[in-house]
Amino acid sequence: QVRLVESGGGLVQAGGSLRLSCVASGRTFNYHVMGWFRQAPGKEREFVAAITWSGLTTHYRDSVKGRFTISSDNAKNTVYLQMNGLNPEDTAVYYCAIGNNIRTVDPDYWGQGTQVTVSS
């Protein structure tokens, strides 16, 4: 069993920044990829970014490349998503996930989600 707890969401104006955090606990040793997904109202959940626990490999969806940065801190079992240059299209509930596929994560566990709202 793995538990994922996100934090850091909030309301920000267009052009602003937020940093999301996800703390993992439990049997995380079975997995080597952590990722972020998001789901906007009326839309399907979509992949945002992923990272290997080593931090050596990352993968992003095209629309966030150059604006979002995913990073990991193994000592804290924590993954971060630094989001810069936010725009209203980034408004969504952001979910942390754990799996073993760097391109899709292929999650076995999800966090509860944290709301990000970008005002224009």
Side-chain angles (χ1 to χ4, degrees):
Q1 193 78 4
V2 173
R3 183 172 185 232
L4 304 173
V5 179
E6 303 102 331
S7 61
L11 173 65
V12 64
Q13 288 188 334
S17 298
L18 283 174
R19 189 176 83 153
L20 306 182
S21 300
C22 174
V23 180
S25 60
R27 303 176 73 85
T28 60
F29 52 83
N30 288 329
Y31 304 95
H32 69 270
V33 173
M34 292 285 293
W36 289 94
F37 290 71
R38 65 187 181 187
Q39 187 166 18
K43 295 186 177 182
E44 293 188 355
R45 192 171 298 189
E46 63 183 20
F47 169 84
V48 176
I51 188 169
T52 54
W53 273 119
S54 67
L56 294 178
T57 304
T58 58
H59 179 58
Y60 297 90
R61 72 179 295 108
D62 286 346
S63 63
V64 307
K65 286 180 180 177
R67 299 189 300 123
F68 291 11
T69 302
I70 190 169
S71 61
S72 62
D73 185 336
N74 287 355
K76 296 181 179 180
N77 263 15
T78 302
V79 174
Y80 304 96
L81 186 68
Q82 177 67 43
M83 305 185 294
N84 299 327
L86 286 161
N87 58 62
E89 290 70 37
D90 295 315
T91 294
V93 177
Y94 282 71
Y95 297 91
C96 179
I98 192 168
N100 285 308
N101 187 303
I102 189 61
R103 298 192 67 84
T104 67
V105 184
D106 192 19
D108 278 355
Y109 295 94
W110 297 89
Q112 82 287 353
T114 185
Q115 177 70 47
V116 171
T117 303
V118 185
S119 63
S120 56

